[in-house]
Amino acid sequence: MFEKIDPNTMLRLKKWAYLLVFIAPATLVLSWYMASQPGAASNLWAFFPLIFIFGIVPVLDYIIGKDAANPDEATQVPSLNEEKIYRVFTLICFPVQLAAIAFAGWVFVDGNLFNSVGQLGWVISTGIVGGVLAINVGHELIHKDPKLENWTGGLLLATVTYAGFKVEHVRGHHVHVSTPEDASSSRYNQSIYDFLPKALVRNFLAAWRLEKEYLQRKGKKAFSKDNELIWWYGFSALLAVLFFVAFGWMGVLFFFAQSLLAGLTLEVVNYIEHYGLHRRVLENGKFERVTPAHSWNSNYLLTNLLLFHLQRHSDHHAYAKRRYQVLRHYDESPQLPGGYASMFVLALIPPLWKAVMNPRVEAYYQGEMDQLFRENKRVNNIASNA
């Protein structure tokens, strides 16, 4: 639908369309309102944000189509980088996220709308919204140098108790992406259910190890005020205390449950972003440098707007500090057959996922399948030595 629009026109249209990110928390309010109506199927409405993001959005993605517009490096990128409104969009996500989880916690504990099934749906829905608003936007901000943005990214991640991502993602994932050393890069033929527990545990431990090593290089102690992870997880603990004061132990349960669901949402997206794509081993035994070929790209317009161009992941990994509004689409990058919303659902069904994605991975290694199996051997060796 939008693929033939002039690139300059597309950039102008997209400027304010990034506010679509706030549809995610708005679905929580809509769900609560509809569930409150007389005769409403309250428990069903508790699942509405989940249904909207993974049911309605994929359909709209295919109807609306793709966005092929890239900003001109010489004439447009410099001015786009300087426009403060793009930074404002991301920064205001922090107070909105705080309001969203506070509101959702109140609804959960109130107990007048949902039975246990509805409460489960409400927690899942809140976690999914947190994945969109807290982790996705937090991811954008932790790559930025200005302290206001960088710290806001940490605070966003702390609202879902996933602050380790701030350290591990930048210092670990971006260094080791698409190699066996990276727990966030899923392997060829690996199922999501094998990937998730390993990623959750390894990434948490890696964050503390990386921060310890960083502080040791500076001659500082790991357990000290200089350890940023202590501050971020301290903020998460403060939020848990506030939820206890406001809502009791059920509030604390809700806070950590929505945090877990948000973290799982992130790791499913990690699984999608790098499935089966390995950096080739060079003749000297080292891995090739990271290029746009080492991440799956998706250029569906709607989900790109909802996720601040996260789906232009190939450009992000090649140029990590590049701001979301100037991320580019590469035709030569490996292309997903759908947006993240539809691929998320597909990933949860391993036989379908492998039927769709394995041929694409094999096409990536066309003429050099030895590289694919060489990488699998390295994974097995690392696992056996761990």
Side-chain angles (χ1 to χ4, degrees):
M1 184 185 295
F2 290 96
E3 293 180 50
K4 296 183 180 180
I5 291 181
D6 172 73
N8 292 327
T9 303
M10 177 58 76
L11 288 173
R12 289 195 297 271
L13 289 172
K14 286 164 65 174
K15 180 175 182 178
W16 296 100
Y18 289 114
L19 290 172
L20 286 171
V21 69
F22 297 112
I23 286 180
T27 59
L28 287 173
V29 178
L30 176 62
S31 298
W32 166 76
Y33 174 77
M34 295 303 297
S36 302
Q37 300 308 299
S42 299
N43 291 320
L44 180 61
W45 279 107
F47 289 88
F48 175 72
L50 183 69
I51 295 169
F52 176 82
I53 293 173
F54 296 121
I56 298 174
V57 167
V59 174
L60 293 176
D61 242 351
Y62 285 105
I63 293 174
I64 294 172
K66 299 180 180 180
D67 162 30
N70 284 335
D72 183 85
E73 289 297 309
T75 62
Q76 294 174 316
V77 168
S79 60
L80 285 169
N81 276 330
E82 293 303 315
E83 284 197 59
K84 293 183 179 179
I85 191 63
Y86 291 105
R87 304 184 193 190
V88 171
F89 291 161
T90 54
L91 292 172
I92 59 178
C93 287
F94 175 57
V96 173
Q97 166 67 4
L98 284 178
I101 60 173
F103 166 75
W106 168 71
V107 173
F108 178 85
V109 174
D110 182 58
N112 291 327
L113 283 182
F114 310 128
N115 62 21
S116 57
V117 173
Q119 284 183 315
L120 175 63
W122 188 250
V123 169
I124 295 173
S125 293
T126 307
I128 295 299
V129 169
V132 173
L133 200 60
I135 295 186
N136 175 57
V137 182
H139 165 261
E140 167 69 20
L141 292 173
I142 61 176
H143 281 287
K144 303 303 174 281
D145 292 327
K147 286 186 177 180
L148 177 60
E149 292 175 279
N150 193 271
W151 290 3
T152 301
L155 290 170
L156 275 165
L157 294 171
T159 65
V160 290
T161 324
Y162 219 73
F165 180 77
K166 184 177 186 296
V167 169
E168 194 284 327
H169 179 78
V170 175
R171 301 182 213 161
H173 176 61
H174 271 262
V175 174
H176 300 296
V177 63
S178 296
T179 73
E181 284 79 7
D182 181 38
S184 293
S185 297
S186 52
R187 318 300 171 201
Y188 173 75
N189 226 31
Q190 183 181 24
S191 80
I192 186 66
Y193 302 107
D194 178 70
F195 172 82
L196 282 177
K198 294 175 181 177
L200 287 170
V201 174
R202 283 184 61 187
N203 286 334
F204 176 80
L205 295 176
W208 288 95
R209 175 180 54 79
L210 289 166
E211 181 67 0
K212 178 182 178 181
E213 292 171 354
Y214 171 77
L215 291 172
Q216 285 178 338
R217 288 194 298 270
K218 291 181 169 292
K220 298 178 180 179
K221 295 181 179 180
F223 193 76
S224 68
K225 63 179 179 59
D226 299 302
N227 187 325
E228 67 169 294
L229 289 175
I230 292 176
W231 290 100
W232 301 129
Y233 281 113
F235 183 70
S236 298
L238 174 62
L239 289 177
V241 170
L242 293 175
F243 268 75
F244 174 75
V245 172
F247 309 122
W249 286 111
M250 287 294 288
V252 177
L253 173 66
F254 170 82
F255 175 72
F256 286 117
Q258 64 88 28
S259 294
L260 175 61
L261 267 298
L264 288 171
T265 301
L266 162 70
E267 297 301 347
V268 173
V269 171
N270 274 336
Y271 175 86
I272 293 167
E273 289 171 338
H274 303 287
Y275 177 76
L277 297 180
H278 303 309
R279 284 153 63 187
R280 292 163 176 83
V281 180
L282 304 176
E283 291 182 0
N284 60 8
K286 295 182 179 180
F287 293 107
E288 62 181 330
R289 65 177 291 273
V290 180
T291 74
H294 298 121
S295 305
W296 290 99
N297 205 63
S298 179
N299 217 27
Y300 283 88
L301 177 61
L302 178 59
T303 37
N304 259 332
L305 294 171
L306 285 169
L307 298 174
F308 287 125
H309 269 168
L310 179 67
Q311 296 180 145
R312 291 188 169 184
H313 208 62
S314 300
D315 199 22
H316 167 70
H317 263 280
Y319 306 95
K321 291 186 180 294
R322 199 171 172 91
R323 291 187 175 274
Y324 71 90
Q325 67 268 28
V326 295
L327 286 174
R328 296 159 294 186
H329 167 71
Y330 291 93
D331 285 328
E332 62 270 25
S333 296
Q335 302 295 317
L336 290 170
Y340 278 8
S342 57
M343 299 308 294
F344 191 108
V345 177
L346 193 67
L348 299 180
I349 312 171
L352 290 181
W353 171 265
K354 292 177 183 180
V356 171
M357 292 302 298
N358 281 8
R360 287 172 167 80
V361 175
E362 292 160 9
Y364 169 79
Y365 286 101
Q366 187 176 19
E368 51 177 346
M369 289 295 287
D370 60 305
Q371 284 282 357
L372 176 59
F373 296 111
R374 183 178 180 181
E375 288 299 303
N376 286 345
K377 286 182 181 179
R378 289 174 68 96
V379 174
N380 294 332
N381 289 338
I382 289 173
S384 62
N385 294 329

